[in-house]
Amino acid sequence: MKPDYKNWVPKGMIASFAASAGVALVLFLIFGVYGLGASGALRGVLAGLFGAATLVLIGFTIYCVVWYRAFDYGGKRQLSRAIVEGMAKYVDLPEGGRGLDVGCGSGALTIAVAKRNPHASVLGVDRWGFEYASFNKQLCESNARAEGVQNTSFEQADATQLPFEDGSFDAVTSNYVYHNIMRKDRQALLLETLRVLKKGGSFAIHDLFSRGNYGDMDAFIARLKEQGYEQLEFIDTTQGLFMGPREAKWLMLGSSKLLAGRK
């Protein structure tokens, strides 16, 4: 039995773009090439409109396929595996400690952290929404069994309001989650995750930390230091840690950074 971590690029999205491109092509042929129901200037306008739509949608489809192949766990590049296993190295749980992975998806990071810390337990939480319909609690549990990992558990929870008391965990992690949540104050999401971290606990949060997504992160990190956080690192992961700058730019991951430290 092998684990199935799926892909960060849903097949449904690729299929939707491909189907839309097909529809646009059919409309281009009907109105632009054969001129059914349209003639003269109208035919030219429709030909241009549906022709352009066809090219754009084909472009999006190809781009999504490139993304899919880059992130495929069983593919040649396996970028998602490199990121997950690289992040897990930043987590060192104490004997009998508890870790929390926010937005666990298919359980990959939760399981990777648990494998590196067999003397502790790791909980993965996710709301498992329709955007990633193939990700669910049962899939996470199945992947843990396939990896032979017994020190994990999974629950449904909302990252914007975690159902845990302050200082409940010895470590918290999250990978490419918060930029997907449609709200302006994503720094508040970081604070919500750090709220459940114990004093002395470690954290590793990887995301698209652009100013548009997160605002002034330098000021945020300064606030954390004032609150007593230690060993703070804000690492650009596109400079060889997880990927190179050219690949990051091509995959639109240029603002990928890892925020790590200790409370």
Side-chain angles (χ1 to χ4, degrees):
M1 181 179 178
K2 294 183 179 181
D4 180 12
Y5 292 119
K6 302 297 182 182
N7 198 292
W8 296 346
V9 180
K11 287 184 178 180
M13 183 170 67
I14 300 175
S16 295
F17 279 126
S20 298
V23 171
L25 177 60
V26 170
L27 293 173
F28 169 73
L29 294 174
I30 291 174
F31 296 110
V33 176
Y34 299 109
L36 298 179
S39 61
L42 177 60
R43 178 179 178 180
V45 170
L46 292 175
L49 177 64
F50 292 121
T54 300
L55 293 176
V56 169
L57 290 167
I58 289 175
F60 275 124
T61 303
I62 293 173
Y63 205 63
C64 287
V65 170
V66 170
W67 272 357
Y68 188 91
R69 289 181 175 177
F71 291 127
D72 186 4
Y73 265 80
K76 182 178 180 180
R77 175 61 180 93
Q78 298 185 8
L79 178 57
S80 53
R81 184 188 297 273
I83 292 173
V84 164
E85 294 182 354
M87 283 192 65
K89 295 178 181 178
Y90 283 81
V91 183
D92 185 16
L93 286 164
E95 185 77 30
R98 298 178 67 209
L100 175 68
D101 181 29
V102 180
C104 63
S106 61
L109 180 55
T110 312
I111 293 168
V113 172
K115 289 175 72 174
R116 289 185 61 86
N117 295 271
H119 51 276
S121 62
V122 186
L123 171 64
V125 297
D126 202 300
R127 74 179 184 87
W128 293 302
F130 69 91
E131 301 93 337
Y132 289 89
S134 61
F135 292 0
N136 52 61
K137 179 179 179 180
Q138 291 73 28
L139 175 64
C140 293
E141 293 172 341
S142 175
N143 285 335
R145 287 194 298 270
E147 293 279 15
V149 173
Q150 298 181 350
N151 57 325
T152 60
S153 58
F154 301 92
E155 295 179 8
Q156 188 166 23
D158 190 339
T160 65
Q161 191 172 4
L162 295 170
F164 309 111
E165 296 182 0
D166 297 357
S168 298
F169 297 91
D170 298 283
V172 293
T173 58
S174 184
N175 180 46
Y176 282 150
V177 173
Y178 304 125
H179 75 275
N180 290 311
I181 300 175
M182 303 306 294
R183 60 182 293 173
K184 293 182 179 179
D185 191 359
R186 292 190 175 89
Q187 291 186 12
L189 296 176
L190 296 177
L191 292 175
E192 172 63 9
T193 294
L194 295 176
R195 174 185 66 79
V196 303
L197 181 63
K198 290 181 180 179
K199 181 66 177 178
S202 61
F203 65 92
I205 299 172
H206 187 231
D207 203 8
L208 300 178
F209 281 102
S210 66
R211 180 172 285 270
N213 282 335
Y214 279 92
D216 188 347
M217 281 300 296
D218 290 333
F220 180 78
I221 292 172
R223 286 172 54 197
L224 293 183
K225 290 180 179 179
E226 291 174 358
Q227 295 171 13
Y229 284 79
E230 302 174 345
Q231 302 176 21
L232 286 173
E233 296 181 88
F234 196 42
I235 306 167
D236 186 345
T237 59
T238 71
Q239 298 301 313
L241 181 60
F242 297 152
M243 68 197 91
R246 182 177 297 179
E247 181 180 35
K249 184 177 181 180
W250 172 244
L251 295 175
M252 298 178 66
L253 300 175
S255 59
S256 295
K257 292 181 175 63
L258 177 66
L259 178 64
R262 191 170 294 276
K263 191 171 185 178

